[in-house]
């Protein structure tokens, strides 16, 4: 079995799965249960100044369900910890003593003045915690007070606050980034310039879940009114993966360790984040909707996967897929794929036909010689992949590369040479090759 | 084995009530949502093609998924006004569900029947109006027979603005829905609930206890109405053709079922200890299972051919068997054993000869029976046309109609069990009525 022991910022944990800063890490009781279940570490629920903030006493969460009531997307309007600072510090100190082999980083959120950071950072570090995570990500509530994503959306603020924290901290500092920006790179670069040891991403996405169909008020609501919350869960994973990959493949940020967050629910999600450049993983929503036991499949599945790949440690997987991420302009325009339908597997639902007919290129038959039969018309197939996506039978429709001959759609011979947009004749800004 | 073994109320009222509870309890909302999610939303869906009324099945299931039950019910009922009853009685295992593509890779179709019931139940429970009647056209149509075909035709014609008079032999409308279908398939007086909802469209006048050939003649109604739709079903019952067929204890299954359906507590019917059913169709299954549920100890169906040739589907046969009914094949009744009443029945073994023709092997055996049910098919009642019988093209004793359900007479349409090619299904009868109504409407509009 592959060893999942992982090192992140000099802290070694039994596996790379840490609980993200969230309600599940607000108390010693919860975190103790998580460590008993096997989690490698926890980022403590965000601490702020005393006196603590207050939360609403109504619904803090909303969700998008499948018809089987699986939670696909999740959102929250909970603020940072509403417990007194000292209570949290005592909990952290005790837990760190009880679980020396697990990581405890402490999430913090302070206003934009140096004195506050100078006051609280040493106090928190004194608990024996392994480091800090700066919450520049929460998009709701605290942003109205100039904190959370309000900082994370302004690179200059990120740099400044990171510098303050680094100035008073001896332990490593992670900057947690908000996805509520158009380009993740400037905030990541600012964190690096401020001296951050790592970045973690993504925090939650600005969101309103839906309206109440009876009252036509937004839902969930507190006494008839609602406020936007942070969206997370499996639905946001693709957003997170893109941002992680951008940081991992960009020169100015590539060296910075990444803790990947956003929709990790099973081991395959972990593989996605690790291969795209994260070397540590944080999980919240899956634990919130299933409990801590999911760590079994996360670690067991990841370990089995590494075995199958002949890898002996997590670090071998980190960044493996990063070189395969590029700009659109560098994609090989000479490469041609066609869909192929395995008639032995086809159950004749016709989904591929109707989506190709209505939404793509009319490249799939519905009848052949009067019989209900779905076949690819190579002369029309653009290789878009829509049919394989809608097909309910796994493996029935596959995309097959053309390696020789002539593409019957374009009449152009298949070329082994690569050619991308940068040199394409239709590109007015093409480079002369 | 004497008359002493025939008794009523062999089981307690509670036992009988339990035995005749809903055959398939309705789906709860969570069950329905999960089942609806299993539908692939096929293009040109095979289930829809397999439905005699062409209900857009993926369409109505999609609307269940989105909690749009009123829309879902409308999608069903606009094609099949008896979508509520059909959800209960359709042999879905040989229609829509047999065609479901899920059979191909997991052998478990979407439960379309129960989803259809889930979508339509609220319409009847809340008496929702889903259809509006068009402006009155002044045209009058006579519908003879108030069963599924007749009511389907009447509703469609009424919706299109015509005035309809339904002549019904029985006191209650519904035909076999009311008098024929097994009681556990349509509990809580659903047949009448559905009838009342259908009549709510307006423009339909009902004349009960009015028999064609007795109280009215075809000639007279053709004279009085702009068009006629005949859907009087099969009023005659086939005989075994044996001596002593009128002996005590030898009963027509359809008559017994009609009595059973109209019985308040079902504890006033003669129940045999040892029941033998002759036949291989749905009626044979229904009478056998219901006899068992009324407390008969031994119930045996005897059919002259093999299981594949039975009119009852495999699902229905297995349902009977798991209800405790024995099904015997390849035996044909040759003699009713009678003292003061029936005591048994003698059979000859049968087989197929080299040409596939049924023949007797000469070998005989017999069963004890204190009640023998005849369920060997029905025919158009002999007196229904009176003098007008010769004016129709007929085949196999039934009316011959075209694709538009028009008979050989220019102003007379027909549908349901009385037409040639009918298959005894409610859903087919509903389609006949719908198609005929559309054809009648075109005919009447062209006359304007």
């Amino acid at each position: 079995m592959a060893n999942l022991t992982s090192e992140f910022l000099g802290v070694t944990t039994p596996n790379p799965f840490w609980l993200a800063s969230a309600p599940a890490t607000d108390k010693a009781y919860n975190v103790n249960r998580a460590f008993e279940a096997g989690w490698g570490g926890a980022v403590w629920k965000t601490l702020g100044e005393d006196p603590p903030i207050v939360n609403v006493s109504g619904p803090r969460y909303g969700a998008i369900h499948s018809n089987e009531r699986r939670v696909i997307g999740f959102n929250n309007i909970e603020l940072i910890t509403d417990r007194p600072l000292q209570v949290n510090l005592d909990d952290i100190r005790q837990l760190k003593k009880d679980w020396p082999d697990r990581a405890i980083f402490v999430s913090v959120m302070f206003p934009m003045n140096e004195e506050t950071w100078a006051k609280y950072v040493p106090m928190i570090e004194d608990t024996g915690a392994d480091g800090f995570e700066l919450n520049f990500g929460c998009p709701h509530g605290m942003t109205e007070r100039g904190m959370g994503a309000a900082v994370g959306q302004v690179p200059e603020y990120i740099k400044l606050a990171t510098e303050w924290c680094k100035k008073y901290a001896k332990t490593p500092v992670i900057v947690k980034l908000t996805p509520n920006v158009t380009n993740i790179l400037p905030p990541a670069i600012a964190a690096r310039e401020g001296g951050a040891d790592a970045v973690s991403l993504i925090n939650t996405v600005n969101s309103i879940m839906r309206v109440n169909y009876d009252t036509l008020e937004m839902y969930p609501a507190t006494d008839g009114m609602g406020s936007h919350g942070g969206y997370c869960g499996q639905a946001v994973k693709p957003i997170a993966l893109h941002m992680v990959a951008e940081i991992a493949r960009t020169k100015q940020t590539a060296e910075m360790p990444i803790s990947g967050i956003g929709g990790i629910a099973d081991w395959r999600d972990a593989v996605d984040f690790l291969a795209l450049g994260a070397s540590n993983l944080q999980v919240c929503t899956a634990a919130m909707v299933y409990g801590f036991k999911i760590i079994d499949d996360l670690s067991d599945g990841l370990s089995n996967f590494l075995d199958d790949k002949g890898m002996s440690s997590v670090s071998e997987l980190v960044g493996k897929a990063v070189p395969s991420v590029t700009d659109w302009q560098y994609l090989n325009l000479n490469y041609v794929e066609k869909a192929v339908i395995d008639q032995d597997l086809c159950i004749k639902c016709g989904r591929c036909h109707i989506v190709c007919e209505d939404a793509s290129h009319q490249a799939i038959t519905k009848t052949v010689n009067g019989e209900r039969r779905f076949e690819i018309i190579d002369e029309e197939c653009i290789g878009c992949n829509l049919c394989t996506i809608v097909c309910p039978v796994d493996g029935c429709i596959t995309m097959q590369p053309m390696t020789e001959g002539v593409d019957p759609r374009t009449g152009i011979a298949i070329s082994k040479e690569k050619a991308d947009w940068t040199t394409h004749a239709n590109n007015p800004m093409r480079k002369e090759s | 084995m004497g008359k002493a073994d025939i008794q009523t109320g062999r089981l307690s009222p509670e036992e009988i009530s339990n035995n005749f509870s809903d055959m398939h309890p309705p789906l709860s909302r969570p069950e329905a949502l999960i089942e609806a999610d299993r539908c692939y939303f096929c293009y040109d869906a095979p289930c829809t093609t397999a439905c005699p009324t062409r209900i857009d099945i993926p369409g109505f299931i999609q609307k269940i998924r989105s909690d749009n039950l009123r829309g879902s019910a409308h999608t069903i009922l606009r094609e099949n006004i008896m979508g509520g009853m059909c959800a209960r009685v359709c042999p879905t295992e040989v229609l829509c569900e047999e065609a479901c593509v899920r059979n191909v890779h997991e052998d478990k179709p979407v439960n379309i029947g129960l989803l259809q019931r889930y979508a339509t139940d609220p319409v009847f429970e809340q008496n929702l109006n889903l259809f509006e009647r068009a402006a009155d056209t002044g045209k009058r149509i006579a519908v003879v027979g108030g069963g599924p075909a007749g009511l389907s035709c009447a509703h469609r014609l009424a919706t299109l603005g015509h005035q309809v008079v339904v002549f019904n032999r029985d006191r209650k409308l519904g035909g076999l829905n009311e008098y024929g279908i097994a009681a556990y398939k349509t509990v809580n007086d659903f047949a009448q609930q559905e009838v009342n909802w259908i009549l709510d469209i307006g423009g339909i006048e009902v004349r009960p206890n009015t028999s064609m050939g007795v109280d009215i003649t075809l000639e007279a109604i053709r004279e009085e109405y702009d068009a006629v739709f005949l859907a009087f079903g099969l009023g005659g019952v086939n005989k075994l053709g044996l001596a002593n067929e009128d002996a005590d204890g030898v009963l027509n299954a359809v008559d017994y079922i009609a009595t059973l359906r109209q019985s308040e507590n079902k504890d006033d019917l003669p129940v045999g200890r040892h029941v033998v059913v002759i036949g291989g169709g749905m009626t044979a299954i229904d009478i056998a299972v219901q006899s068992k549920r009324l407390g008969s100890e031994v119930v045996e169906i005897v059919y002259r051919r093999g299981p594949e040739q039975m009119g009852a589907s495999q699902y229905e046969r297995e349902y009977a068997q798991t209800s405790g009914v024995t099904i015997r094949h390849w035996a044909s009744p040759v003699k009713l054993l009678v003292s003061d009443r029936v005591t048994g029945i003698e059979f000859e073994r049968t087989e197929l000869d080299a040409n596939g023709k049924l023949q007797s092997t000469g070998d005989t055996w017999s069963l004890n029976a204190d009640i023998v049910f005849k369920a060997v098919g029905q025919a158009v009642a002999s007196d229904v046309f009176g003098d007008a019988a010769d004016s129709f093209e007929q085949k196999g004793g039934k009316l011959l109609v075209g694709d538009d359900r028009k008979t050989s007479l220019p102003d007379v349409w027909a549908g349901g069990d009385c037409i040639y090619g009918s298959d005894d299904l409610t859903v087919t009868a509903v389609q006949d009525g719908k198609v005929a109504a559309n054809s009648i409407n075109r005919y009447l509009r062209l006359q304007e």
Side-chain angles (χ1 to χ4, degrees), chain B residues 237-317:
Chain B
V237 180
N238 292 342
K239 292 180 180 302
L240 297 175
L242 302 177
N244 296 321
E245 224 168 297
D246 52 357
D248 268 3
V250 180
L251 305 173
N252 285 324
V254 290
D255 296 338
Y256 187 92
I257 293 172
T259 310
L260 171 67
R261 283 293 307 276
Q262 298 308 307
S263 166
E264 187 75 19
N265 300 315
K266 305 181 183 65
D267 57 359
D268 52 351
L269 292 133
V271 178
R273 191 177 290 279
H274 193 154
V275 170
V276 173
V277 178
I278 310 297
M282 291 294 297
T283 304
I285 298 285
D286 284 356
I287 189 66
V289 173
Q290 291 183 109
S291 292
K292 195 74 195 156
R293 301 210 166 165
L294 285 169
S296 296
E297 281 162 18
V298 179
V299 180
E300 296 171 280
I301 293 174
V302 185
Y303 178 56
R304 61 195 174 129
R305 295 171 187 268
E308 293 75 28
Q309 290 87 17
M310 285 179 85
S313 68
Q314 185 185 336
Y315 175 83
E316 290 284 344
R317 299 195 304 267

Side-chain angles (χ1 to χ4, degrees), chain B residues 101-305:
Chain B
V101 300
R102 279 212 179 244
N103 287 309
V104 182
H105 73 150
E106 62 169 300
D107 210 22
K108 186 170 175 282
V110 173
N111 196 331
I112 298 166
L114 278 178
L115 285 174
Q116 181 165 319
R117 180 162 170 193
Y118 176 78
T120 51
D121 270 353
V123 172
F124 306 105
E125 283 161 11
Q126 300 161 30
N127 203 26
L128 299 176
N129 284 327
L130 297 181
F131 300 96
E132 257 181 62
R133 197 166 172 234
D136 195 296
T137 63
K139 301 285 184 187
R140 299 181 73 228
I141 299 109
V143 169
V144 181
L151 287 175
S152 162
C153 186
H155 185 274
R156 178 59 61 104
L157 289 169
T159 308
L160 292 165
H162 306 301
Q163 293 170 22
V164 185
V165 176
V166 177
F167 298 97
N168 196 42
R169 184 193 67 184
D170 300 311
R171 186 172 62 84
K172 294 188 197 172
L173 289 174
L176 289 173
N177 288 359
E178 176 58 39
Y179 294 98
I181 284 158
Y184 46 77
K185 290 181 183 171
T186 167
V187 300
N188 299 330
D189 206 18
F190 179 75
Q192 288 310 298
Q193 222 183 332
E194 184 172 65
V195 164
N196 293 336
W197 177 82
I198 288 172
L199 295 180
D200 274 353
I201 187 75
I204 304 174
E205 182 195 336
V206 181
R207 300 202 188 151
N209 304 314
T210 307
S211 289
M212 175 98 162
V214 179
D215 307 300
I216 48 166
T217 65
L218 180 62
E219 213 173 314
I221 54 175
R222 283 183 70 191
E223 189 68 30
E224 187 180 344
Y225 295 89
D226 295 301
V228 176
F229 179 63
L230 300 177
F232 40 68
L234 303 174
V237 180
N238 292 342
K239 292 180 180 302
L240 297 175
L242 302 177
N244 296 321
E245 224 168 297
D246 52 357
D248 268 3
V250 180
L251 305 173
N252 285 324
V254 290
D255 296 338
Y256 187 92
I257 293 172
T259 310
L260 171 67
R261 283 293 307 276
Q262 298 308 307
S263 166
E264 187 75 19
N265 300 315
K266 305 181 183 65
D267 57 359
D268 52 351
L269 292 133
V271 178
R273 191 177 290 279
H274 193 154
V275 170
V276 173
V277 178
I278 310 297
M282 291 294 297
T283 304
I285 298 285
D286 284 356
I287 189 66
V289 173
Q290 291 183 109
S291 292
K292 195 74 195 156
R293 301 210 166 165
L294 285 169
S296 296
E297 281 162 18
V298 179
V299 180
E300 296 171 280
I301 293 174
V302 185
Y303 178 56
R304 61 195 174 129
R305 295 171 187 268

Side-chain angles (χ1 to χ4, degrees), chain B residues 149 229-234 378-380 385 392-408 413-425 428-429 432:
Chain B
F229 179 63
L230 300 177
F232 40 68
L234 303 174
Q378 293 153 261
V380 172
F385 291 121
F392 290 100
E393 281 185 38
Q394 297 180 36
K395 195 169 177 185
K398 295 183 173 183
L399 299 176
L400 207 56
V401 296
D403 287 345
D404 55 1
R405 309 304 191 270
K406 197 173 198 170
T407 68
S408 50
W413 284 252
D417 288 348
C418 68
I419 62 170
Y420 177 75
S422 67
D423 58 9
D424 301 343
L425 297 178
T428 312
D432 289 342

